[in-house]
Amino acid sequence: MKKGKKLIIILAAIAVAAAAIFTSVNIWLNAAWFSKLGFGQVYSTIIGSKVGLWAGFFIIFFLFSGINIRAAFRRAEIKGTRIQLSGEPIELNRKTIGIISIAVVFLLSIFMANNGSKQWETVLKFFNATGFDLKDPIYSRDISYYVFILPLYLFLKNWGLLTLILTIVPVSLLYLSSGQIKWEKKKLVSSDKARRHVLFLLLLVTVVIGWNFWLARYQLLFSTSGLIFGPDFTAAEVVRPLYIVMMAISLLTAVFVFISMVKSSLKIFIIGAGILVGSAIILTGIVPVLVQQFSVKPNELQKESPYIKNNILFTREGYGISGVDKQLFPVEDSLTAEDFGAGTGITENIRLWDQRPLMATFAQLQGFRLYYDFNSVNVDRYHFGNEYKQVMVAAREINTNNLPPTARTWINEKLQYTHGYGIVMAPVTQIGQEGLPELIIKDIPPKLSVPVKIDRPEIYYGQKTFSYVFGNTNIPEFDYPKGNENVTTHYEGTGGLDIKSGWRKLLLALHFKSTNILFTNYLKPTSKIMIYRSIDQRVRMLARFLRFDSDPYIVLSEGKLFWMLDAYTTTDKYPYSNLSKDGYNYIRNSVKITVDAYNGDVNFYVVDKKDPLISTYKKIFPGMFKDFAEMPEDLRLHVRYPLDLFQAQSEIYAVYHMTDPVVFYNKEDEWSIPQEIYDQGPTAMNPYYAIIRFADQTVNDQYVLMLPFTPSNKNNMVSWVAAMCDPENYGKIIEYQFPKEKLIFGPMQIESRIDQNTEISQLFTLWGQKGSTVIRGNLLVYPVRNSLLYVEPIYLQAEQSKIPELKRVIAAYQNRIGVGLDLREALNAVFGGVHEPEASAASAESPKLLQALNVQELIDKAVENFNAAQNQLRAGDFAGYGDYINRLQKTLEDLQKEWMTTQ
């Protein structure tokens, strides 16, 4: 053997060995990680099914294709061939061709085995199917057939057809290379052996094609070619029976192929193939088009009504909106100042703070160091003693990407800067000094002004924790900054995998491709490596078969921090149900997930026992899911209806609230999600969480997720829909319908009235002249008794500052608009007498209004410059400190001049 060939073989062996080692290490690490979290059976089930399927499909393809290629190789009696690629021709002898054939079969077997092993979930669901107790109206089959059974049949059909094609091609090439199949005198000539062999394989192809037409009948229930999703009149009454005809023709073609094979005549095969192709073109292509054009379209409403009804029924069921409780909301004009009195509690939870500007505010006020970051701000509710408060809360996570480049060492990123610290919490209604939020949990270590405790503020698992870290090492971890020094700690939790030995260090070094792990002296046997620390990555690794909500939220419970996340079961195989923009047509929020921010423990709680999909997954992975009743009571108080689900349901409900086929066909009552002005431009309104009191209740407040609706292409409001979040009514959806004969202002109409208000317009103009940016917050619609109140916060962001400040609150009721420094003043401007009148820049009717406002703005600006200068001084930026001091001096001079003009 030549040296070149030996080198190639050695390098190939090394590559295969390296791939095997790294794959084995990856499997070991994941198996250990799953087992540490208590989900070892989940991993073994997935790996076991993948390996089993891979082996099964490999053997099937290798045997079938190998036997056929070997038979062709022997019958072709190949002695050798010449291949002209480029340059000198390559001579291939019989032995070389045999080796190449085996290699081709082997590689194709790997490809087909990989294709098969990916269907592990489809196979497991097939054998653990759960009934839906609902039958489709066409075939009267339980929906479980389409969700769990049919997908496997379709895959096996496609896999079988591809297997035949990948076998026919090399078999034909072998016969071509030996001359037993050739083009001679303008016609295809072949030997009897070659002809019969290829025809036998084509016979199997025609049988699979017949099976394809049989399965295609059921696939019509997912048709997207008609007026609706699912079968319309033409599909159900014309195409469906024609598919049976095509199946019969396919089997007839198989008979023609068999006769052709026996008589060794290609003519009979060509006749059969021609009949099959011609029939397919006429019966599945031309005939349905003619029927649709000349029979259905002239009578479309009459013929399509039963199928529209099916589409409505199954779409509403698929998205879980069939049980929406419809109630009338009279929208009375009866609100007075007394309805907002101190004892009513109406204004205590009307949200004034928006997540987007508030995140910038938290980052500036509570970030403290460059490496601290806030990923999101969430809305939640807490019981503080006897008070029920809606709050905005955010986790202070660590982001080592923000460390200075010289500090981004392996020791810092993996051993020392390992965790975030604490949360920031602010009530949704309270405005502090200078238009900033009133923080009830803040600072490091946490300072609390509410009756709760935080025993474990450290956040090792979060939304920004993307890399692995080590805990309990020989070097102290950074805990939090304190003045000019840092407080350190050692990890005391149960999260992570123990290092144990040098052997484990070697395996970890191989997996993470880091020699530092192997040679560092900071690791000891009791040290722990924490991997998959990102909440999203963590839950996806454990339950990749679920779909996850995009917004995990932090919860403080019994002194510890937990992440809560919603998970969905989805499928795109629910008959007749319209597809969402994300590609599914059935969705249930069946699972609530909690992740311990300190230990990383994950729990899956089933909240929808009626969902057949989650019942199937419980059969596949016994012990993985817990009953919702097992969730700690305090955590259950923070469960909420997920925003992503409600958004999807709202988009569907805007159309599918129409249940009459005639109304649906004509789109007489189609709705839209309204627009609002956010920041400085129009945008679609998002669902929002609110604590409200329904008109038929006098005491109990309900935490809901709600959204108003407007008619399509119009701006007036027609209804609002709310999903209940509290445990006792969780998941119930209520639609409040407005009187059709009455004009109810929609969000954009209120936005227009705000723009037309002279006082507000003057404020916006004044702030703009000072170089500040006006940020209009979310316009929220609140039901109050049997009326509607609109509230919009206005933020101001100075040119040199990144801190948006809540400067005004706008309230609207009917055709009245009021503005104030807070909600109480805005309501007083609308209703009068809500509280004792105070000297207020926002509500005073005085010729000196703008001058007074100007003075207030200059005072605020002076305070901003002073605070910014102090921050620069603490950071050691003396140039920045001097710049802000100069700005402060200029602002004070302007303030002195302005003040003199008001006297």
Side-chain angles (χ1 to χ4, degrees):
M1 187 180 291
K2 295 181 179 179
K3 291 184 178 180
K5 290 184 178 180
K6 286 184 178 180
L7 181 60
I8 292 173
I9 292 173
I10 292 172
L11 292 176
I14 292 173
V16 171
I21 290 172
F22 281 107
T23 301
S24 300
V25 170
N26 183 64
I27 292 174
W28 163 78
L29 182 61
N30 285 332
W33 181 76
F34 270 81
S35 296
K36 179 66 171 62
L37 290 174
F39 300 107
Q41 184 269 341
V42 174
Y43 190 70
S44 62
T45 297
I46 294 174
I47 291 297
S49 58
K50 282 185 173 183
V51 171
L53 288 172
W54 194 95
F57 282 110
F58 181 91
I59 292 171
I60 291 171
F61 185 89
F62 189 84
L63 288 177
F64 179 83
S65 184
I67 289 171
N68 278 278
I69 291 175
R70 177 176 172 79
F73 183 78
R74 294 179 63 184
R75 293 175 182 179
E77 299 177 353
I78 298 174
K79 296 180 180 180
T81 188
R82 175 181 295 180
I83 300 176
Q84 182 77 42
L85 296 175
S86 61
E88 293 293 325
I90 301 175
E91 296 286 345
L92 298 177
N93 58 31
R94 179 178 176 82
K95 183 178 179 181
T96 303
I97 295 174
I99 293 173
I100 292 174
S101 299
I102 294 173
V104 168
V105 173
F106 185 79
L107 292 175
L108 289 176
S109 298
I110 292 175
F111 169 76
M112 295 300 286
N114 289 340
N115 195 9
S117 69
K118 293 177 182 178
Q119 300 302 315
W120 65 269
E121 185 179 347
T122 302
V123 173
L124 291 178
K125 288 195 292 187
F126 178 91
F127 288 107
N128 295 275
T130 304
F132 277 71
D133 293 328
L134 177 65
K135 295 183 177 181
D136 78 271
I138 302 295
Y139 299 105
S140 295
R141 283 185 175 270
D142 190 90
I143 302 303
S144 60
Y145 175 80
Y146 304 98
V147 175
F148 302 123
I149 309 301
L150 184 60
L152 182 58
Y153 290 162
L154 292 172
F155 167 73
L156 291 176
K157 180 261 297 182
N158 293 331
W159 192 89
L161 186 59
L162 184 58
T163 296
L164 289 169
I165 293 171
L166 292 179
T167 302
I168 289 172
V169 171
V171 165
S172 300
L173 288 174
L174 285 173
Y175 286 125
L176 281 169
S177 65
S178 67
Q180 293 200 30
I181 296 178
K182 58 185 176 181
W183 191 258
E184 188 176 89
K185 296 181 180 180
K186 298 183 179 180
K187 64 178 182 179
L188 189 66
V189 179
S190 61
S191 67
D192 287 344
K193 292 180 180 180
R195 187 185 307 117
R196 286 174 180 171
H197 192 176
V198 174
L199 286 175
F200 168 73
L201 294 174
L202 291 174
L203 170 65
L204 297 180
V205 169
T206 57
V207 173
V208 174
I209 291 174
W211 188 27
N212 173 70
F213 281 114
W214 176 260
L215 296 177
R217 297 164 57 248
Y218 298 110
Q219 287 184 280
L220 288 173
L221 272 66
F222 312 103
S223 172
T224 58
S225 61
L227 178 69
I228 54 169
F229 184 91
D232 55 7
F233 176 88
T234 301
E237 304 298 332
V238 179
V239 177
R240 184 166 64 103
L242 288 178
Y243 276 165
I244 297 178
V245 175
M246 285 304 305
M247 183 188 67
I249 293 173
S250 299
L251 298 179
L252 177 63
T253 302
V255 174
F256 275 81
V257 177
F258 179 76
I259 295 172
S260 178
M261 184 178 65
V262 172
K263 292 188 175 183
S264 192
S265 172
L266 285 176
K267 289 184 179 180
I268 300 175
F269 163 73
I270 294 172
I271 293 172
I275 293 173
L276 179 61
V277 174
S279 299
I281 293 172
I282 294 172
L283 297 182
T284 64
I286 297 175
V287 172
V289 172
L290 293 176
V291 172
Q292 181 70 25
Q293 184 65 36
F294 298 107
S295 177
V296 177
K297 278 195 174 181
N299 309 284
E300 193 169 52
L301 180 56
Q302 175 192 350
K303 290 183 178 292
E304 300 289 15
S305 286
Y307 304 98
I308 293 175
K309 186 175 181 180
N310 290 337
N311 174 252
I312 294 171
L313 172 67
F314 280 84
T315 299
R316 288 169 61 88
E317 188 65 36
Y319 287 88
I321 55 176
S322 59
V324 172
D325 181 13
K326 296 186 177 183
Q327 299 183 21
L328 294 177
F329 194 88
V331 193
E332 297 172 353
D333 305 329
S334 57
L335 284 184
T336 63
E338 286 71 22
D339 292 314
F340 300 95
T344 63
I346 296 296
T347 61
E348 291 179 3
N349 287 295
I350 292 180
R351 180 160 67 87
L352 303 180
W353 291 101
D354 289 344
Q355 288 98 322
R356 286 164 283 191
L358 193 58
M359 188 160 71
T361 302
F362 280 178
Q364 291 294 314
L365 299 180
Q366 289 288 303
F368 300 124
R369 296 292 189 270
L370 291 174
Y371 43 77
Y372 283 132
D373 206 352
F374 294 93
N375 186 71
S376 63
V377 178
N378 291 105
V379 186
D380 203 353
R381 75 284 198 197
Y382 283 79
H383 290 272
F384 300 123
N386 295 325
E387 288 189 300
Y388 187 42
K389 288 285 188 183
Q390 189 175 10
V391 298
M392 312 295 287
V393 60
R396 186 186 293 106
E397 298 191 55
I398 199 161
N399 186 355
T400 55
N401 292 331
N402 292 337
L403 287 170
T406 54
R408 293 193 62 187
T409 63
W410 184 83
I411 290 176
N412 276 346
E413 292 188 331
K414 307 303 181 185
L415 303 179
Q416 290 199 295
Y417 289 87
T418 57
H419 58 276
Y421 202 91
I423 59 174
V424 179
M425 185 181 292
V428 297
T429 57
Q430 296 179 18
I431 308 172
Q433 293 182 351
E434 304 173 26
L436 299 175
E438 190 72 37
L439 302 181
I440 56 177
I441 298 179
K442 61 181 180 179
D443 295 349
I444 300 176
K447 295 178 182 177
L448 299 81
S449 56
V450 285
V452 294
K453 61 179 180 177
I454 303 181
D455 299 324
R456 276 296 177 195
E458 300 94 341
I459 300 175
Y460 282 85
Y461 300 85
Q463 292 178 280
K464 285 185 171 292
T465 48
F466 299 114
S467 66
Y468 69 90
V469 297
F470 292 92
N472 190 29
T473 65
N474 290 325
I475 186 173
E477 298 173 49
F478 164 77
D479 201 19
Y480 60 86
K482 186 177 182 181
N484 294 325
E485 299 179 353
N486 291 332
V487 177
T488 60
T489 187
H490 283 281
Y491 182 68
E492 300 174 348
T494 59
L497 298 171
D498 291 332
I499 298 300
K500 290 186 178 179
S501 64
W503 175 247
R504 275 204 170 187
K505 288 176 65 175
L506 173 61
L507 294 178
L508 291 171
L510 286 172
H511 179 80
F512 291 106
K513 301 177 181 64
S514 172
T515 57
N516 291 319
I517 297 177
L518 188 62
F519 296 112
T520 182
N521 294 322
Y522 292 120
L523 297 181
K524 54 187 178 179
T526 55
S527 296
K528 295 175 178 292
I529 182 171
M530 288 173 263
I531 60 176
Y532 304 135
R533 297 191 303 135
S534 163
I535 299 303
D536 184 70
Q537 184 187 27
R538 198 171 186 80
V539 296
R540 288 181 192 277
M541 281 292 296
L542 292 171
R544 61 195 71 187
F545 45 86
L546 297 176
R547 181 185 293 264
F548 298 96
D549 194 81
S550 61
D551 190 24
Y553 56 103
I554 195 82
V555 172
L556 172 60
S557 175
E558 303 295 339
K560 297 186 65 178
L561 296 176
F562 297 87
W563 293 96
M564 296 194 76
L565 179 62
D566 289 280
Y568 311 111
T569 53
T570 61
T571 181
D572 59 355
K573 297 296 186 291
Y574 199 81
Y576 265 119
S577 180
N578 210 43
L579 281 172
S580 71
K581 62 183 181 182
D582 292 322
Y584 57 79
N585 59 6
Y586 173 93
I587 183 170
R588 291 293 185 272
N589 173 217
S590 297
V591 181
K592 301 287 184 182
I593 306 172
T594 62
V595 181
D596 189 313
Y598 187 69
N599 292 320
D601 296 331
V602 183
N603 287 289
F604 296 84
Y605 299 98
V606 174
V607 293
D608 187 355
K609 296 180 181 179
K610 296 180 180 179
D611 173 30
L613 275 169
I614 199 61
S615 297
T616 294
Y617 287 128
K618 287 177 70 177
K619 295 177 188 177
I620 297 172
F621 305 110
M624 180 178 187
F625 299 97
K626 298 180 179 180
D627 191 83
F628 183 55
E630 297 181 55
M631 180 184 286
E633 183 178 357
D634 190 60
L635 280 177
R636 287 205 302 271
L637 296 176
H638 296 278
V639 165
R640 68 185 191 186
Y641 200 86
L643 193 145
D644 287 356
L645 173 61
F646 190 69
Q647 182 73 48
Q649 289 175 321
S650 298
E651 292 171 359
I652 292 293
Y653 196 70
V655 177
Y656 284 89
H657 70 278
M658 298 179 287
T659 56
D660 183 278
V662 177
V663 176
F664 186 93
Y665 176 82
N666 293 317
K667 297 295 187 288
E668 296 176 15
D669 193 25
E670 187 173 354
W671 295 347
S672 294
I673 294 174
Q675 297 272 306
E676 64 169 333
I677 301 296
Y678 184 82
D679 198 347
Q680 296 180 344
T683 186
M685 201 169 187
N686 292 321
Y688 51 95
Y689 293 98
I691 293 178
I692 64 173
R693 188 172 300 167
F694 289 96
D696 57 349
Q697 296 178 336
T698 56
V699 179
N700 293 333
D701 293 326
Q702 298 287 331
Y703 191 58
V704 303
L705 179 60
M706 59 185 295
L707 184 69
F709 287 92
T710 60
S712 182
N713 300 319
K714 291 186 178 180
N715 288 326
N716 60 292
M717 251 191 329
V718 293
S719 72
W720 63 276
V721 175
M724 312 294 281
C725 297
D726 292 327
E728 59 271 16
N729 293 311
Y730 180 82
K732 181 180 180 181
I733 301 177
I734 303 175
E735 177 204 336
Y736 283 95
Q737 301 172 333
F738 299 157
K740 293 184 180 296
E741 68 278 3
K742 190 173 185 179
L743 173 64
I744 311 299
F745 289 131
M748 282 303 290
Q749 291 172 323
I750 295 296
E751 298 281 21
S752 297
R753 297 185 67 83
I754 291 173
D755 290 336
Q756 295 164 6
N757 184 278
T758 304
E759 182 179 353
I760 298 173
S761 179
Q762 288 176 330
L763 281 172
F764 289 171
T765 302
L766 172 64
W767 287 331
Q769 290 173 348
K770 297 298 180 181
S772 299
T773 301
V774 177
I775 302 174
R776 294 171 68 162
N778 291 128
L779 175 65
L780 304 183
V781 184
Y782 281 89
V784 180
R785 305 202 187 279
N786 280 322
S787 299
L788 294 176
L789 179 70
Y790 307 80
V791 177
E792 180 173 284
I794 304 297
Y795 306 91
L796 192 65
Q797 183 170 302
E799 185 177 5
Q800 73 277 12
S801 171
K802 295 182 179 180
I803 305 179
E805 299 174 358
L806 203 165
K807 289 300 185 183
R808 298 293 182 270
V809 178
I810 298 173
Y813 176 68
Q814 296 177 345
N815 59 354
R816 286 174 274 173
I817 303 287
V819 61
L821 288 173
D822 55 25
L823 179 60
R824 183 69 61 177
E825 287 193 8
L827 291 173
N828 188 61
V830 174
F831 296 100
V834 174
H835 70 126
E836 289 297 322
E838 299 176 0
S840 168
S843 58
E845 298 294 338
S846 167
K848 295 186 177 181
L849 172 63
L850 295 182
Q851 289 177 320
L853 288 173
N854 205 11
V855 169
Q856 181 63 49
E857 297 304 323
L858 288 170
I859 293 174
D860 292 344
K861 189 174 180 181
V863 173
E864 288 174 8
N865 288 328
F866 175 78
N867 290 335
Q870 293 300 308
N871 289 335
Q872 296 296 322
L873 182 61
R874 282 193 291 268
D877 186 353
F878 296 104
Y881 172 76
D883 179 55
Y884 279 109
I885 288 295
N886 291 334
R887 295 185 188 184
L888 175 60
Q889 181 180 355
K890 176 66 168 59
T891 302
L892 292 175
E893 291 172 355
D894 293 341
L895 178 60
Q896 184 180 27
K897 295 176 183 177
E898 193 68 38
W899 176 255
M900 294 301 296
T901 62
T902 62
Q903 301 307 305

